Structure formats: C-alpha cells, structure tokens
Amino acid sequence: MALERTFSIIKPDAVAKNVIGAIYNRFESAGLRIVAAKMLHLSQEQAEGFYAEHSARPFFAALVSFMTSGPVMVQVLEGEDAVRKHREIMGATNPKDAAAGTLRADYAASIDENAVHGSDASASAAREIAYFFTEAELCARTR
Ligand code: UDP
C-alpha cells in the first residue's frame, strides 16, 4: 500500500496529563512518522470551524469549550495505511468501549474528554491537514 497521511490532535486533557511524548512514542512504534507538528491554543472560531460537521449535535458547545480549554498538539502522521492504523492506535470514541492498550483506554476519562482526535478517512485527513498546515509546513523525509 502507498504512503498515506492522516491528521492527529492531542487534546487539552492529554496535554494537561503531560503525555505528549508517550503518545508520540505510540505513533512511532507503529511505524507512523510525524511530518509536521505544532502546539496551539485553539480559538473558539478555530474549534467551531474544525468541528463544523457536529454543529447541530447536543454536545457541540461542550466540545468547543473543551477543545479551547488549554493547548493542543496538532500533527500530521505519515505511513502505510496511516488513517486506519492511527484510528486503531486511538481506540473507540468512548473510552469505555476502547480496546485495552489503545490511547483512549489509557488516557481518556470520558467520551467528552477523550484525549485524541484522528481523521476517519483519507478525504477528511486532507481537509483537516489543510485546516492547520500549509503545504510548505509538511516536511518530506529525505533520508
Ligand atoms: N463527542 C462528545 N460527546 C459525544 C460524542 C462525541 O463530546 O457524545 C466528541 C468527542 O470529543 C469525539 C468528537 O466529538 O471525539 C467527534 O465525534 P466522532 O463521533 O467523530 O468521534 P471520533 O472520530 O473522534 O472518534
């Protein structure tokens, strides 16, 4: 399979728990490479725009409030089958349903504060990457 890119957020709860490095280690151990990364404190407008598809859902205001409650790490991961592999590493949306050893089983407290985000398909990955990064910020590995 060809190399694929996916988009990841380490959410404010996981940044507060000081597990950025532990989460990066899971990505790298699974063969995913970090090709762009930055720490941001999302504005309300940025969080609302990112989660626009959920704007009619009852949890939307709480989600935006949570996502703006502290800094996040955003990154682009590259590897074979990256979208699916990253979703597998994250585990189910609700940590109660997340398989043992997944990020959400290990670091998420609830479905509302669930530690990480990952694109659910290649098309959404492209859109989400472009929301946070310019093409020039994506660093190709040359060696
Ligand atoms: N979410 C929430 N309450 C819910 C369902 C979802 O706060 O009852 C939030 C949660 O942070 C989740 C995000 O909305 O990660 C997006 O939901 P989706 O179903 O797309 O899950 P994901 O793709 O993040 O696993």
Side-chain angles (χ1 to χ4, degrees):
M1 190 183 179
L3 282 186
E4 186 177 49
R5 284 177 177 168
T6 192
F7 175 72
S8 151
I9 304 179
I10 302 178
K11 296 184 178 182
D13 55 335
V15 172
K17 283 187 177 127
N18 209 23
V19 292
I20 296 169
I23 292 173
Y24 274 17
N25 187 251
R26 301 274 184 101
F27 296 155
E28 294 185 335
S29 297
L32 296 174
R33 287 180 180 278
I34 297 159
V35 298
K38 55 191 164 190
M39 183 175 269
L40 298 169
H41 195 140
L42 297 182
S43 65
Q44 171 139 348
E45 191 181 35
Q46 277 176 311
E48 285 175 352
F50 183 74
Y51 280 117
E53 68 184 291
H54 295 302
S55 61
R57 308 282 288 276
F59 57 80
F60 183 66
L63 175 60
V64 169
S65 169
F66 165 58
M67 290 301 292
T68 57
S69 66
V72 298
M73 285 294 304
V74 296
Q75 45 278 319
V76 179
L77 307 177
E78 186 178 84
E80 288 201 4
D81 205 11
V83 170
R84 191 200 56 76
K85 204 179 265 183
H86 181 220
R87 295 286 295 188
E88 195 175 296
I89 295 166
M90 290 198 307
T93 308
N94 188 339
K96 288 187 186 139
D97 303 326
T102 60
L103 293 173
R104 282 167 166 166
D106 289 346
Y107 300 123
S110 69
I111 191 170
D112 308 297
E113 302 206 351
N114 62 0
V116 284
H117 165 84
S119 311
D120 62 4
S122 214
S124 49
R127 177 171 44 77
E128 292 173 358
I129 290 168
Y131 192 81
F132 284 106
F133 293 96
T134 65
E135 196 59 39
E137 288 178 302
L138 307 176
C139 300
R141 298 298 175 106
T142 52
R143 50 177 290 169

